[in-house]
Amino acid sequence: MPGVSIKGLNKTFGDVNAVKDVSLEIKDGSLVTLLGPSGCGKTTTLRCVAGLEDPTEGEISIGDDVVYASAAKKNMPPEKRQIGMVFQSYAIWPHMTVFDNIAFPLKIRHATKQAIKDGVNRALTTVRLEGLGSRPATDLSGGQQQRVALARALVHDPRLLLLDEPLSNLDASLREHMRVELKELQKRLKITSIYVTHDQLEAMSISDAVAVLDKGEIVSLGQPRDIYDRPTNKFVASFVGRTNFIESKIVSKGKDNCKLDSKIGLIDSQSKAEGFKQGETVLCAIKPENLHLHTKQPSSKTNVFDATVEYASFLGGYSEVIVSVGSETIRIHGKSEDLNVENGKKVILELPAHQCVVIKKSS
Ligand SMILES: Nc1ncnc2c1ncn2[C@@H]1O[C@H](COP(=O)(O)OP(=O)(O)OP(=O)(O)O)[C@@H](O)[C@H]1O
Ligand SMILES: [Mg+2]
């Protein structure tokens, strides 16, 4: 399967800049997710790739095939782009059978009757709906309807699959199940895919790479783990999981580390603090699950602070503890047996230096 290259993509609607200078390389056979809040331009980007929206500027290629180029005035119509698309709403035709719904892309491409029959049956097997072809499309569960939409997107052997919030209409447990199934299918077919979601958990679990969008711009791009552990700014850090932010000043900078002065005291960070100056006010970002609580003085003397438990609660699989260190409030997540503390208890908070990420104060 070919990869996809998006260069300098812009799309404006009147005075709304829905997509701002988006550039993205998607390796062949990989799944890249566009992650961001409502209105950040995910669907518009996807529709530009599909050819359903005319970009204002930029270039889009699928493999060596340039499907859109503003400079060369090239704009391939959607049906020539060989793309399969799944919409958030499924867009299944209720008056048709499952078979006819899936057959549609082949019919408009004037496939023979036999090719349609073979194609639809193969697609039904791919999404594990064998034998359901003659059912009216509405006599299906939400998860089954989602599979019909997927089968219809795949039936004409597209070279690229676009998925716009395909699971958001399903309930939580089915969503989780379909997420696993979708990833397994994408890997098996080795089909290059662009996936759109506002759900960070979904993005983390399904993607080879994640592009975080904010107001039409890519603000972070990387593998899920990196985006999560090493957020590049406050927006990304807040959007992917909860994060503690401790306002700090950079006291000194080393090659691979820096020392921060904050309201809780001096913090050693193994963050390079690239692009920041000594004396600059920054945020030290640290995830709740990367903090440690001790009831006795730990062996490490670095980044340990006296704290008081303000609130401890059991949240099923894990516990949450909120502590105060001076005037700062800090949230810790962990296994219940490691966080067995009561309100008001004096504890010692440890911030592992390699988990303290330095990011810009304003973003
Ligand atoms: N046809 C249109 N005409 C005018 N404005 C539009 C049009 N389509 C999208 N927009 C605007 O462009 C911006 C991006 O919209 P888009 O649908 O791409 O967001 P999204 O990230 O998919 O959001 P959601 O998560 O809610 O689906 C929004 O401000 C939206 O109002
Ligand atoms: Mg959308």
Side-chain angles (χ1 to χ4, degrees), residues 92-128:
I92 284 176
W93 294 291
H95 57 283
M96 288 188 194
T97 61
V98 167
F99 186 98
D100 288 337
N101 262 283
I102 300 173
F104 188 79
L106 296 176
K107 281 188 182 155
I108 57 166
R109 286 173 176 80
H110 308 294
T112 63
K113 236 178 168 168
Q114 190 58 44
I116 291 175
K117 198 170 159 214
D118 293 346
V120 173
N121 283 332
R122 211 170 37 241
L124 280 169
T125 308
T126 305
V127 301
R128 302 196 319 191

PDB file of all heavy atoms in Angstrom, residues 92-128:
ATOM      1  N   ILE A  92     -25.137   4.590   6.476  1.00  0.00           N
ATOM      2  CA  ILE A  92     -25.679   3.360   5.883  1.00  0.00           C
ATOM      3  C   ILE A  92     -27.081   3.660   5.350  1.00  0.00           C
ATOM      4  O   ILE A  92     -27.848   4.371   5.999  1.00  0.00           O
ATOM      5  CB  ILE A  92     -25.723   2.243   6.947  1.00  0.00           C
ATOM      6  CG1 ILE A  92     -24.291   1.735   7.132  1.00  0.00           C
ATOM      7  CG2 ILE A  92     -26.653   1.108   6.552  1.00  0.00           C
ATOM      8  CD1 ILE A  92     -24.174   0.723   8.191  1.00  0.00           C
ATOM      9  N   TRP A  93     -27.391   3.130   4.182  1.00  0.00           N
ATOM     10  CA  TRP A  93     -28.724   3.381   3.623  1.00  0.00           C
ATOM     11  C   TRP A  93     -29.730   2.402   4.214  1.00  0.00           C
ATOM     12  O   TRP A  93     -29.633   1.189   3.983  1.00  0.00           O
ATOM     13  CB  TRP A  93     -28.678   3.271   2.101  1.00  0.00           C
ATOM     14  CG  TRP A  93     -27.830   4.354   1.532  1.00  0.00           C
ATOM     15  CD1 TRP A  93     -28.120   5.680   1.517  1.00  0.00           C
ATOM     16  CD2 TRP A  93     -26.550   4.223   0.921  1.00  0.00           C
ATOM     17  NE1 TRP A  93     -27.082   6.389   0.948  1.00  0.00           N
ATOM     18  CE2 TRP A  93     -26.123   5.519   0.569  1.00  0.00           C
ATOM     19  CE3 TRP A  93     -25.715   3.142   0.651  1.00  0.00           C
ATOM     20  CZ2 TRP A  93     -24.901   5.759  -0.050  1.00  0.00           C
ATOM     21  CZ3 TRP A  93     -24.506   3.381   0.040  1.00  0.00           C
ATOM     22  CH2 TRP A  93     -24.111   4.670  -0.306  1.00  0.00           C
ATOM     23  N   PRO A  94     -30.699   2.910   4.945  1.00  0.00           N
ATOM     24  CA  PRO A  94     -31.612   2.030   5.679  1.00  0.00           C
ATOM     25  C   PRO A  94     -32.540   1.222   4.767  1.00  0.00           C
ATOM     26  O   PRO A  94     -32.964   0.129   5.126  1.00  0.00           O
ATOM     27  CB  PRO A  94     -32.423   2.988   6.553  1.00  0.00           C
ATOM     28  CG  PRO A  94     -32.256   4.332   5.952  1.00  0.00           C
ATOM     29  CD  PRO A  94     -30.948   4.329   5.220  1.00  0.00           C
ATOM     30  N   HIS A  95     -32.850   1.750   3.587  1.00  0.00           N
ATOM     31  CA  HIS A  95     -33.795   1.043   2.714  1.00  0.00           C
ATOM     32  C   HIS A  95     -33.120  -0.063   1.910  1.00  0.00           C
ATOM     33  O   HIS A  95     -33.765  -0.745   1.131  1.00  0.00           O
ATOM     34  CB  HIS A  95     -34.469   2.045   1.765  1.00  0.00           C
ATOM     35  CG  HIS A  95     -33.477   2.819   0.946  1.00  0.00           C
ATOM     36  ND1 HIS A  95     -32.755   3.865   1.479  1.00  0.00           N
ATOM     37  CD2 HIS A  95     -33.076   2.668  -0.325  1.00  0.00           C
ATOM     38  CE1 HIS A  95     -31.953   4.338   0.548  1.00  0.00           C
ATOM     39  NE2 HIS A  95     -32.119   3.622  -0.561  1.00  0.00           N
ATOM     40  N   MET A  96     -31.824  -0.250   2.091  1.00  0.00           N
ATOM     41  CA  MET A  96     -31.124  -1.291   1.326  1.00  0.00           C
ATOM     42  C   MET A  96     -30.702  -2.444   2.241  1.00  0.00           C
ATOM     43  O   MET A  96     -30.562  -2.260   3.451  1.00  0.00           O
ATOM     44  CB  MET A  96     -29.834  -0.715   0.734  1.00  0.00           C
ATOM     45  CG  MET A  96     -30.011   0.237  -0.397  1.00  0.00           C
ATOM     46  SD  MET A  96     -28.337   0.560  -1.021  1.00  0.00           S
ATOM     47  CE  MET A  96     -28.644   1.969  -2.045  1.00  0.00           C
ATOM     48  N   THR A  97     -30.445  -3.598   1.641  1.00  0.00           N
ATOM     49  CA  THR A  97     -29.908  -4.721   2.410  1.00  0.00           C
ATOM     50  C   THR A  97     -28.433  -4.454   2.703  1.00  0.00           C
ATOM     51  O   THR A  97     -27.817  -3.555   2.115  1.00  0.00           O
ATOM     52  CB  THR A  97     -29.986  -6.034   1.609  1.00  0.00           C
ATOM     53  OG1 THR A  97     -29.187  -5.870   0.433  1.00  0.00           O
ATOM     54  CG2 THR A  97     -31.408  -6.406   1.244  1.00  0.00           C
ATOM     55  N   VAL A  98     -27.900  -5.283   3.582  1.00  0.00           N
ATOM     56  CA  VAL A  98     -26.470  -5.215   3.899  1.00  0.00           C
ATOM     57  C   VAL A  98     -25.659  -5.382   2.604  1.00  0.00           C
ATOM     58  O   VAL A  98     -24.741  -4.615   2.319  1.00  0.00           O
ATOM     59  CB  VAL A  98     -26.112  -6.326   4.924  1.00  0.00           C
ATOM     60  CG1 VAL A  98     -24.620  -6.504   5.052  1.00  0.00           C
ATOM     61  CG2 VAL A  98     -26.751  -6.008   6.273  1.00  0.00           C
ATOM     62  N   PHE A  99     -26.060  -6.380   1.797  1.00  0.00           N
ATOM     63  CA  PHE A  99     -25.348  -6.660   0.552  1.00  0.00           C
ATOM     64  C   PHE A  99     -25.309  -5.417  -0.347  1.00  0.00           C
ATOM     65  O   PHE A  99     -24.250  -5.011  -0.830  1.00  0.00           O
ATOM     66  CB  PHE A  99     -26.032  -7.821  -0.193  1.00  0.00           C
ATOM     67  CG  PHE A  99     -25.279  -8.264  -1.422  1.00  0.00           C
ATOM     68  CD1 PHE A  99     -24.425  -9.358  -1.378  1.00  0.00           C
ATOM     69  CD2 PHE A  99     -25.428  -7.574  -2.629  1.00  0.00           C
ATOM     70  CE1 PHE A  99     -23.714  -9.754  -2.505  1.00  0.00           C
ATOM     71  CE2 PHE A  99     -24.718  -7.964  -3.759  1.00  0.00           C
ATOM     72  CZ  PHE A  99     -23.865  -9.058  -3.689  1.00  0.00           C
ATOM     73  N   ASP A 100     -26.479  -4.804  -0.559  1.00  0.00           N
ATOM     74  CA  ASP A 100     -26.546  -3.653  -1.466  1.00  0.00           C
ATOM     75  C   ASP A 100     -25.778  -2.443  -0.936  1.00  0.00           C
ATOM     76  O   ASP A 100     -25.190  -1.683  -1.701  1.00  0.00           O
ATOM     77  CB  ASP A 100     -28.001  -3.276  -1.757  1.00  0.00           C
ATOM     78  CG  ASP A 100     -28.657  -4.313  -2.667  1.00  0.00           C
ATOM     79  OD1 ASP A 100     -27.920  -5.012  -3.384  1.00  0.00           O
ATOM     80  OD2 ASP A 100     -29.901  -4.437  -2.618  1.00  0.00           O
ATOM     81  N   ASN A 101     -25.794  -2.279   0.382  1.00  0.00           N
ATOM     82  CA  ASN A 101     -25.005  -1.200   0.975  1.00  0.00           C
ATOM     83  C   ASN A 101     -23.525  -1.372   0.632  1.00  0.00           C
ATOM     84  O   ASN A 101     -22.866  -0.433   0.200  1.00  0.00           O
ATOM     85  CB  ASN A 101     -25.163  -1.205   2.503  1.00  0.00           C
ATOM     86  CG  ASN A 101     -26.190  -0.200   2.976  1.00  0.00           C
ATOM     87  OD1 ASN A 101     -25.909   1.002   3.016  1.00  0.00           O
ATOM     88  ND2 ASN A 101     -27.374  -0.667   3.296  1.00  0.00           N
ATOM     89  N   ILE A 102     -23.053  -2.600   0.835  1.00  0.00           N
ATOM     90  CA  ILE A 102     -21.623  -2.851   0.626  1.00  0.00           C
ATOM     91  C   ILE A 102     -21.280  -2.825  -0.865  1.00  0.00           C
ATOM     92  O   ILE A 102     -20.183  -2.426  -1.260  1.00  0.00           O
ATOM     93  CB  ILE A 102     -21.209  -4.196   1.278  1.00  0.00           C
ATOM     94  CG1 ILE A 102     -21.490  -4.143   2.790  1.00  0.00           C
ATOM     95  CG2 ILE A 102     -19.740  -4.507   1.030  1.00  0.00           C
ATOM     96  CD1 ILE A 102     -21.280  -5.449   3.507  1.00  0.00           C
ATOM     97  N   ALA A 103     -22.245  -3.248  -1.689  1.00  0.00           N
ATOM     98  CA  ALA A 103     -21.995  -3.341  -3.141  1.00  0.00           C
ATOM     99  C   ALA A 103     -21.871  -1.975  -3.817  1.00  0.00           C
ATOM    100  O   ALA A 103     -21.309  -1.857  -4.903  1.00  0.00           O
ATOM    101  CB  ALA A 103     -23.140  -4.128  -3.800  1.00  0.00           C
ATOM    102  N   PHE A 104     -22.394  -0.944  -3.146  1.00  0.00           N
ATOM    103  CA  PHE A 104     -22.510   0.368  -3.791  1.00  0.00           C
ATOM    104  C   PHE A 104     -21.221   0.877  -4.466  1.00  0.00           C
ATOM    105  O   PHE A 104     -21.247   1.241  -5.653  1.00  0.00           O
ATOM    106  CB  PHE A 104     -23.049   1.386  -2.778  1.00  0.00           C
ATOM    107  CG  PHE A 104     -23.386   2.702  -3.393  1.00  0.00           C
ATOM    108  CD1 PHE A 104     -24.575   2.868  -4.100  1.00  0.00           C
ATOM    109  CD2 PHE A 104     -22.507   3.773  -3.313  1.00  0.00           C
ATOM    110  CE1 PHE A 104     -24.874   4.081  -4.697  1.00  0.00           C
ATOM    111  CE2 PHE A 104     -22.805   4.991  -3.903  1.00  0.00           C
ATOM    112  CZ  PHE A 104     -23.995   5.140  -4.601  1.00  0.00           C
ATOM    113  N   PRO A 105     -20.081   0.878  -3.779  1.00  0.00           N
ATOM    114  CA  PRO A 105     -18.865   1.397  -4.425  1.00  0.00           C
ATOM    115  C   PRO A 105     -18.481   0.607  -5.687  1.00  0.00           C
ATOM    116  O   PRO A 105     -17.895   1.166  -6.607  1.00  0.00           O
ATOM    117  CB  PRO A 105     -17.788   1.242  -3.353  1.00  0.00           C
ATOM    118  CG  PRO A 105     -18.536   1.167  -2.069  1.00  0.00           C
ATOM    119  CD  PRO A 105     -19.828   0.477  -2.389  1.00  0.00           C
ATOM    120  N   LEU A 106     -18.813  -0.671  -5.723  1.00  0.00           N
ATOM    121  CA  LEU A 106     -18.490  -1.487  -6.899  1.00  0.00           C
ATOM    122  C   LEU A 106     -19.461  -1.179  -8.033  1.00  0.00           C
ATOM    123  O   LEU A 106     -19.081  -1.130  -9.207  1.00  0.00           O
ATOM    124  CB  LEU A 106     -18.538  -2.982  -6.556  1.00  0.00           C
ATOM    125  CG  LEU A 106     -17.503  -3.452  -5.536  1.00  0.00           C
ATOM    126  CD1 LEU A 106     -17.713  -4.924  -5.202  1.00  0.00           C
ATOM    127  CD2 LEU A 106     -16.086  -3.237  -6.070  1.00  0.00           C
ATOM    128  N   LYS A 107     -20.742  -0.976  -7.675  1.00  0.00           N
ATOM    129  CA  LYS A 107     -21.758  -0.675  -8.698  1.00  0.00           C
ATOM    130  C   LYS A 107     -21.431   0.637  -9.405  1.00  0.00           C
ATOM    131  O   LYS A 107     -21.492   0.714 -10.637  1.00  0.00           O
ATOM    132  CB  LYS A 107     -23.148  -0.596  -8.058  1.00  0.00           C
ATOM    133  CG  LYS A 107     -23.726  -1.978  -7.803  1.00  0.00           C
ATOM    134  CD  LYS A 107     -25.174  -1.896  -7.360  1.00  0.00           C
ATOM    135  CE  LYS A 107     -25.703  -3.292  -7.066  1.00  0.00           C
ATOM    136  NZ  LYS A 107     -26.827  -3.260  -6.123  1.00  0.00           N
ATOM    137  N   ILE A 108     -21.067   1.667  -8.629  1.00  0.00           N
ATOM    138  CA  ILE A 108     -20.788   2.951  -9.300  1.00  0.00           C
ATOM    139  C   ILE A 108     -19.504   2.875 -10.123  1.00  0.00           C
ATOM    140  O   ILE A 108     -19.267   3.709 -10.981  1.00  0.00           O
ATOM    141  CB  ILE A 108     -20.745   4.168  -8.335  1.00  0.00           C
ATOM    142  CG1 ILE A 108     -19.706   3.966  -7.238  1.00  0.00           C
ATOM    143  CG2 ILE A 108     -22.119   4.455  -7.729  1.00  0.00           C
ATOM    144  CD1 ILE A 108     -19.392   5.249  -6.480  1.00  0.00           C
ATOM    145  N   ARG A 109     -18.699   1.856  -9.867  1.00  0.00           N
ATOM    146  CA  ARG A 109     -17.496   1.660 -10.700  1.00  0.00           C
ATOM    147  C   ARG A 109     -17.783   0.661 -11.831  1.00  0.00           C
ATOM    148  O   ARG A 109     -16.878   0.169 -12.478  1.00  0.00           O
ATOM    149  CB  ARG A 109     -16.333   1.172  -9.824  1.00  0.00           C
ATOM    150  CG  ARG A 109     -15.767   2.285  -8.960  1.00  0.00           C
ATOM    151  CD  ARG A 109     -14.731   1.795  -7.969  1.00  0.00           C
ATOM    152  NE  ARG A 109     -14.129   2.896  -7.224  1.00  0.00           N
ATOM    153  CZ  ARG A 109     -14.688   3.512  -6.178  1.00  0.00           C
ATOM    154  NH1 ARG A 109     -15.861   3.116  -5.740  1.00  0.00           N
ATOM    155  NH2 ARG A 109     -14.078   4.508  -5.578  1.00  0.00           N
ATOM    156  N   HIS A 110     -19.046   0.327 -12.010  1.00  0.00           N
ATOM    157  CA  HIS A 110     -19.512  -0.549 -13.095  1.00  0.00           C
ATOM    158  C   HIS A 110     -18.854  -1.921 -13.083  1.00  0.00           C
ATOM    159  O   HIS A 110     -18.487  -2.455 -14.131  1.00  0.00           O
ATOM    160  CB  HIS A 110     -19.286   0.125 -14.468  1.00  0.00           C
ATOM    161  CG  HIS A 110     -19.856   1.508 -14.527  1.00  0.00           C
ATOM    162  ND1 HIS A 110     -21.210   1.761 -14.446  1.00  0.00           N
ATOM    163  CD2 HIS A 110     -19.250   2.714 -14.611  1.00  0.00           C
ATOM    164  CE1 HIS A 110     -21.413   3.066 -14.490  1.00  0.00           C
ATOM    165  NE2 HIS A 110     -20.240   3.674 -14.582  1.00  0.00           N
ATOM    166  N   ALA A 111     -18.685  -2.498 -11.886  1.00  0.00           N
ATOM    167  CA  ALA A 111     -18.143  -3.859 -11.799  1.00  0.00           C
ATOM    168  C   ALA A 111     -19.194  -4.845 -12.333  1.00  0.00           C
ATOM    169  O   ALA A 111     -20.399  -4.545 -12.322  1.00  0.00           O
ATOM    170  CB  ALA A 111     -17.811  -4.173 -10.351  1.00  0.00           C
ATOM    171  N   THR A 112     -18.731  -6.023 -12.770  1.00  0.00           N
ATOM    172  CA  THR A 112     -19.680  -7.026 -13.256  1.00  0.00           C
ATOM    173  C   THR A 112     -20.444  -7.626 -12.068  1.00  0.00           C
ATOM    174  O   THR A 112     -19.993  -7.521 -10.922  1.00  0.00           O
ATOM    175  CB  THR A 112     -18.945  -8.178 -13.968  1.00  0.00           C
ATOM    176  OG1 THR A 112     -18.108  -8.817 -12.987  1.00  0.00           O
ATOM    177  CG2 THR A 112     -18.107  -7.674 -15.128  1.00  0.00           C
ATOM    178  N   LYS A 113     -21.564  -8.283 -12.389  1.00  0.00           N
ATOM    179  CA  LYS A 113     -22.396  -8.884 -11.341  1.00  0.00           C
ATOM    180  C   LYS A 113     -21.586  -9.869 -10.488  1.00  0.00           C
ATOM    181  O   LYS A 113     -21.685  -9.877  -9.264  1.00  0.00           O
ATOM    182  CB  LYS A 113     -23.569  -9.620 -12.006  1.00  0.00           C
ATOM    183  CG  LYS A 113     -24.891  -9.113 -11.491  1.00  0.00           C
ATOM    184  CD  LYS A 113     -26.022  -9.798 -12.174  1.00  0.00           C
ATOM    185  CE  LYS A 113     -27.276  -9.457 -11.384  1.00  0.00           C
ATOM    186  NZ  LYS A 113     -28.487  -9.791 -12.003  1.00  0.00           N
ATOM    187  N   GLN A 114     -20.774 -10.694 -11.181  1.00  0.00           N
ATOM    188  CA  GLN A 114     -19.983 -11.700 -10.488  1.00  0.00           C
ATOM    189  C   GLN A 114     -18.924 -11.035  -9.591  1.00  0.00           C
ATOM    190  O   GLN A 114     -18.707 -11.444  -8.451  1.00  0.00           O
ATOM    191  CB  GLN A 114     -19.307 -12.628 -11.513  1.00  0.00           C
ATOM    192  CG  GLN A 114     -18.650 -13.866 -10.898  1.00  0.00           C
ATOM    193  CD  GLN A 114     -19.650 -14.730 -10.112  1.00  0.00           C
ATOM    194  OE1 GLN A 114     -20.767 -14.976 -10.575  1.00  0.00           O
ATOM    195  NE2 GLN A 114     -19.263 -15.174  -8.919  1.00  0.00           N
ATOM    196  N   ALA A 115     -18.286  -9.986 -10.143  1.00  0.00           N
ATOM    197  CA  ALA A 115     -17.246  -9.284  -9.367  1.00  0.00           C
ATOM    198  C   ALA A 115     -17.858  -8.642  -8.126  1.00  0.00           C
ATOM    199  O   ALA A 115     -17.254  -8.623  -7.051  1.00  0.00           O
ATOM    200  CB  ALA A 115     -16.571  -8.223 -10.236  1.00  0.00           C
ATOM    201  N   ILE A 116     -19.091  -8.141  -8.270  1.00  0.00           N
ATOM    202  CA  ILE A 116     -19.773  -7.529  -7.124  1.00  0.00           C
ATOM    203  C   ILE A 116     -20.053  -8.591  -6.063  1.00  0.00           C
ATOM    204  O   ILE A 116     -19.760  -8.402  -4.879  1.00  0.00           O
ATOM    205  CB  ILE A 116     -21.082  -6.836  -7.578  1.00  0.00           C
ATOM    206  CG1 ILE A 116     -20.742  -5.603  -8.427  1.00  0.00           C
ATOM    207  CG2 ILE A 116     -21.940  -6.437  -6.378  1.00  0.00           C
ATOM    208  CD1 ILE A 116     -21.944  -4.906  -9.041  1.00  0.00           C
ATOM    209  N   LYS A 117     -20.575  -9.729  -6.522  1.00  0.00           N
ATOM    210  CA  LYS A 117     -20.910 -10.812  -5.590  1.00  0.00           C
ATOM    211  C   LYS A 117     -19.645 -11.282  -4.835  1.00  0.00           C
ATOM    212  O   LYS A 117     -19.655 -11.396  -3.606  1.00  0.00           O
ATOM    213  CB  LYS A 117     -21.515 -11.980  -6.390  1.00  0.00           C
ATOM    214  CG  LYS A 117     -22.264 -12.944  -5.545  1.00  0.00           C
ATOM    215  CD  LYS A 117     -23.040 -13.930  -6.402  1.00  0.00           C
ATOM    216  CE  LYS A 117     -23.324 -15.157  -5.557  1.00  0.00           C
ATOM    217  NZ  LYS A 117     -23.316 -16.382  -6.303  1.00  0.00           N
ATOM    218  N   ASP A 118     -18.575 -11.511  -5.592  1.00  0.00           N
ATOM    219  CA  ASP A 118     -17.335 -11.978  -4.964  1.00  0.00           C
ATOM    220  C   ASP A 118     -16.774 -10.927  -4.006  1.00  0.00           C
ATOM    221  O   ASP A 118     -16.353 -11.245  -2.893  1.00  0.00           O
ATOM    222  CB  ASP A 118     -16.279 -12.283  -6.036  1.00  0.00           C
ATOM    223  CG  ASP A 118     -16.697 -13.481  -6.894  1.00  0.00           C
ATOM    224  OD1 ASP A 118     -17.631 -14.192  -6.480  1.00  0.00           O
ATOM    225  OD2 ASP A 118     -16.099 -13.670  -7.973  1.00  0.00           O
ATOM    226  N   GLY A 119     -16.797  -9.679  -4.486  1.00  0.00           N
ATOM    227  CA  GLY A 119     -16.236  -8.584  -3.685  1.00  0.00           C
ATOM    228  C   GLY A 119     -16.983  -8.411  -2.374  1.00  0.00           C
ATOM    229  O   GLY A 119     -16.376  -8.296  -1.298  1.00  0.00           O
ATOM    230  N   VAL A 120     -18.309  -8.405  -2.457  1.00  0.00           N
ATOM    231  CA  VAL A 120     -19.115  -8.194  -1.244  1.00  0.00           C
ATOM    232  C   VAL A 120     -18.927  -9.366  -0.276  1.00  0.00           C
ATOM    233  O   VAL A 120     -18.750  -9.163   0.930  1.00  0.00           O
ATOM    234  CB  VAL A 120     -20.610  -7.993  -1.592  1.00  0.00           C
ATOM    235  CG1 VAL A 120     -21.460  -7.952  -0.324  1.00  0.00           C
ATOM    236  CG2 VAL A 120     -20.806  -6.711  -2.394  1.00  0.00           C
ATOM    237  N   ASN A 121     -18.913 -10.577  -0.805  1.00  0.00           N
ATOM    238  CA  ASN A 121     -18.740 -11.730   0.083  1.00  0.00           C
ATOM    239  C   ASN A 121     -17.383 -11.702   0.778  1.00  0.00           C
ATOM    240  O   ASN A 121     -17.261 -12.024   1.958  1.00  0.00           O
ATOM    241  CB  ASN A 121     -18.934 -13.044  -0.688  1.00  0.00           C
ATOM    242  CG  ASN A 121     -20.424 -13.293  -0.925  1.00  0.00           C
ATOM    243  OD1 ASN A 121     -21.273 -12.841  -0.144  1.00  0.00           O
ATOM    244  ND2 ASN A 121     -20.754 -13.975  -2.012  1.00  0.00           N
ATOM    245  N   ARG A 122     -16.360 -11.288   0.017  1.00  0.00           N
ATOM    246  CA  ARG A 122     -15.022 -11.179   0.618  1.00  0.00           C
ATOM    247  C   ARG A 122     -15.030 -10.108   1.720  1.00  0.00           C
ATOM    248  O   ARG A 122     -14.502 -10.313   2.807  1.00  0.00           O
ATOM    249  CB  ARG A 122     -14.010 -10.820  -0.480  1.00  0.00           C
ATOM    250  CG  ARG A 122     -12.632 -11.376  -0.205  1.00  0.00           C
ATOM    251  CD  ARG A 122     -11.671 -11.259  -1.373  1.00  0.00           C
ATOM    252  NE  ARG A 122     -11.806 -10.042  -2.141  1.00  0.00           N
ATOM    253  CZ  ARG A 122     -12.129 -10.006  -3.433  1.00  0.00           C
ATOM    254  NH1 ARG A 122     -12.341 -11.116  -4.097  1.00  0.00           N
ATOM    255  NH2 ARG A 122     -12.230  -8.851  -4.056  1.00  0.00           N
ATOM    256  N   ALA A 123     -15.656  -8.976   1.426  1.00  0.00           N
ATOM    257  CA  ALA A 123     -15.702  -7.880   2.418  1.00  0.00           C
ATOM    258  C   ALA A 123     -16.491  -8.301   3.654  1.00  0.00           C
ATOM    259  O   ALA A 123     -16.126  -7.973   4.786  1.00  0.00           O
ATOM    260  CB  ALA A 123     -16.311  -6.633   1.787  1.00  0.00           C
ATOM    261  N   LEU A 124     -17.587  -9.064   3.450  1.00  0.00           N
ATOM    262  CA  LEU A 124     -18.381  -9.551   4.584  1.00  0.00           C
ATOM    263  C   LEU A 124     -17.534 -10.459   5.476  1.00  0.00           C
ATOM    264  O   LEU A 124     -17.613 -10.397   6.700  1.00  0.00           O
ATOM    265  CB  LEU A 124     -19.615 -10.313   4.077  1.00  0.00           C
ATOM    266  CG  LEU A 124     -20.808  -9.449   3.634  1.00  0.00           C
ATOM    267  CD1 LEU A 124     -21.846 -10.294   2.908  1.00  0.00           C
ATOM    268  CD2 LEU A 124     -21.466  -8.755   4.829  1.00  0.00           C
ATOM    269  N   THR A 125     -16.707 -11.302   4.840  1.00  0.00           N
ATOM    270  CA  THR A 125     -15.834 -12.187   5.613  1.00  0.00           C
ATOM    271  C   THR A 125     -14.799 -11.357   6.368  1.00  0.00           C
ATOM    272  O   THR A 125     -14.525 -11.620   7.547  1.00  0.00           O
ATOM    273  CB  THR A 125     -15.120 -13.197   4.676  1.00  0.00           C
ATOM    274  OG1 THR A 125     -16.125 -13.828   3.893  1.00  0.00           O
ATOM    275  CG2 THR A 125     -14.340 -14.224   5.456  1.00  0.00           C
ATOM    276  N   THR A 126     -14.234 -10.360   5.692  1.00  0.00           N
ATOM    277  CA  THR A 126     -13.205  -9.526   6.329  1.00  0.00           C
ATOM    278  C   THR A 126     -13.711  -8.901   7.624  1.00  0.00           C
ATOM    279  O   THR A 126     -13.001  -8.845   8.619  1.00  0.00           O
ATOM    280  CB  THR A 126     -12.769  -8.384   5.365  1.00  0.00           C
ATOM    281  OG1 THR A 126     -12.353  -8.971   4.147  1.00  0.00           O
ATOM    282  CG2 THR A 126     -11.650  -7.559   5.949  1.00  0.00           C
ATOM    283  N   VAL A 127     -14.958  -8.446   7.616  1.00  0.00           N
ATOM    284  CA  VAL A 127     -15.484  -7.788   8.822  1.00  0.00           C
ATOM    285  C   VAL A 127     -16.331  -8.746   9.675  1.00  0.00           C
ATOM    286  O   VAL A 127     -17.037  -8.323  10.579  1.00  0.00           O
ATOM    287  CB  VAL A 127     -16.297  -6.518   8.475  1.00  0.00           C
ATOM    288  CG1 VAL A 127     -15.436  -5.511   7.725  1.00  0.00           C
ATOM    289  CG2 VAL A 127     -17.556  -6.859   7.668  1.00  0.00           C
ATOM    290  N   ARG A 128     -16.252 -10.021   9.352  1.00  0.00           N
ATOM    291  CA  ARG A 128     -16.936 -11.086  10.097  1.00  0.00           C
ATOM    292  C   ARG A 128     -18.448 -10.904  10.159  1.00  0.00           C
ATOM    293  O   ARG A 128     -19.060 -10.920  11.223  1.00  0.00           O
ATOM    294  CB  ARG A 128     -16.331 -11.210  11.495  1.00  0.00           C
ATOM    295  CG  ARG A 128     -14.822 -11.500  11.447  1.00  0.00           C
ATOM    296  CD  ARG A 128     -14.330 -11.990  12.723  1.00  0.00           C
ATOM    297  NE  ARG A 128     -14.984 -11.216  13.768  1.00  0.00           N
ATOM    298  CZ  ARG A 128     -14.641 -11.227  15.036  1.00  0.00           C
ATOM    299  NH1 ARG A 128     -13.705 -11.985  15.430  1.00  0.00           N
ATOM    300  NH2 ARG A 128     -15.269 -10.493  15.923  1.00  0.00           N
TER     301      ARG A 128
END
